[in-house]
Amino acid sequence: GAGVSQSPSNKVTEKGKDVELRCDPISGHTALYWYRQRLGQGLEFLIYFQGNSAPDKSGLPSDRFSAERTGESVSTLTIQRTQQEDSAVYLCASSLGPASGNTIYFGEGSWLTVV
Amino acid sequence: AQSVAQPEDQVNVAEGNPLTVKCTYSVSGNPYLFWYVQYPNRGLQFLLKYITGDNLVKGSYGFEAEFNKSQTSFHLKKPSALVSDSALYFCAVRVGYNQGGKLIFGQGTELSVKP
């Protein structure tokens, strides 16, 4: 597609339920990133995928968070047993590669509300 | 560690006046600097980047940024502000390839342009 596509755009879930967020990167982009943005706060790095290399999971806040990516395509971010503090917008981004000069492009985000 | 600081939480400007949104950085090695804009309830949109070369970088929507190595700054500027420029602006530095090339963001600056 023309840009990074994320779904769902909005999700309201009950505390304790699992949620799955999907990201479809720009075609040909090998690098994929997930960020979290809590209300009124900055962007927090969660996880990074590059091609078939092992992902960098250093930003995942707890073991309730996990993510997968199939090759160089779609990625899913899963949050198990959601808590109210998980309420945030989850932004996916992609880039041609991890080289510093490449631009990282963001999707519109998945807005998660845990009630 | 690499970091970015945006010293102003909010900037208020009258329409038609020049605007500046400040950003300073701390990196080891060459800095790769980016500006993004976030409109309400939207994802991040890329504005411009500095990789190398001219210190004055031009970007989307009439924005430009000036890279100053001695002051470790990368301030965003626009000669004449529009009400539609009102948004949240993020400065970011991209870490090196061996660290996954992820973006480290400042906390953001809320720009308000009044008619």
Side-chain angles (χ1 to χ4, degrees), chain B residues 85-108:
Chain B
D85 292 329
S86 297
L88 185 57
Y89 290 80
F90 289 99
C91 182
V93 61
R94 192 166 188 189
V95 302
Y97 182 101
N98 59 351
Q99 299 175 58
K102 59 181 175 277
L103 288 167
I104 307 297
F105 286 91
Q107 281 301 103

Side-chain angles (χ1 to χ4, degrees), chain A residues 13-59:
Chain A
T13 189
E14 291 182 351
K15 178 181 173 180
K17 298 280 180 120
D18 296 352
V19 295
E20 192 172 276
L21 308 176
R22 176 188 168 106
C23 173
D24 202 342
I26 294 171
S27 178
H29 281 195
T30 63
L32 186 146
Y33 306 82
W34 283 98
Y35 283 82
R36 177 171 72 176
Q37 184 180 25
R38 289 175 164 148
L39 186 63
Q41 297 190 21
L43 290 103
E44 177 186 7
F45 167 77
L46 296 178
I47 189 168
Y48 156 68
F49 295 92
Q50 169 57 36
N52 294 316
S53 302
D56 174 0
K57 303 179 182 180
S58 60

Side-chain angles (χ1 to χ4, degrees), chain B residues 8-22 63 76-87 89 109-115:
Chain B
E8 301 157 318
D9 290 335
Q10 183 152 11
V11 171
N12 298 308
V13 178
E15 187 175 31
N17 283 0
L19 69 87
T20 298
V21 183
K22 295 179 180 177
F63 284 93
L76 182 70
K77 300 181 179 184
K78 188 174 183 181
S80 179
L82 300 173
V83 172
S84 57
D85 292 329
S86 297
Y89 290 80
T109 298
E110 187 79 42
L111 174 66
S112 177
V113 182
K114 301 293 186 189

Side-chain angles (χ1 to χ4, degrees), chain A residues 100, chain B residues 1-5 23-34 50-51 67-74 91-96 99 102-106:
Chain A
S100 299
Chain B
Q2 318 222 38
S3 65
V4 171
C23 172
T24 59
Y25 64 89
S26 175
V27 304
S28 53
N30 294 322
Y32 295 87
L33 299 160
F34 296 77
Y50 173 81
I51 305 301
F67 171 70
N68 188 316
K69 187 173 183 178
S70 63
Q71 297 185 7
T72 61
S73 67
F74 189 55
C91 182
V93 61
R94 192 166 188 189
V95 302
Q99 299 175 58
K102 59 181 175 277
L103 288 167
I104 307 297
F105 286 91

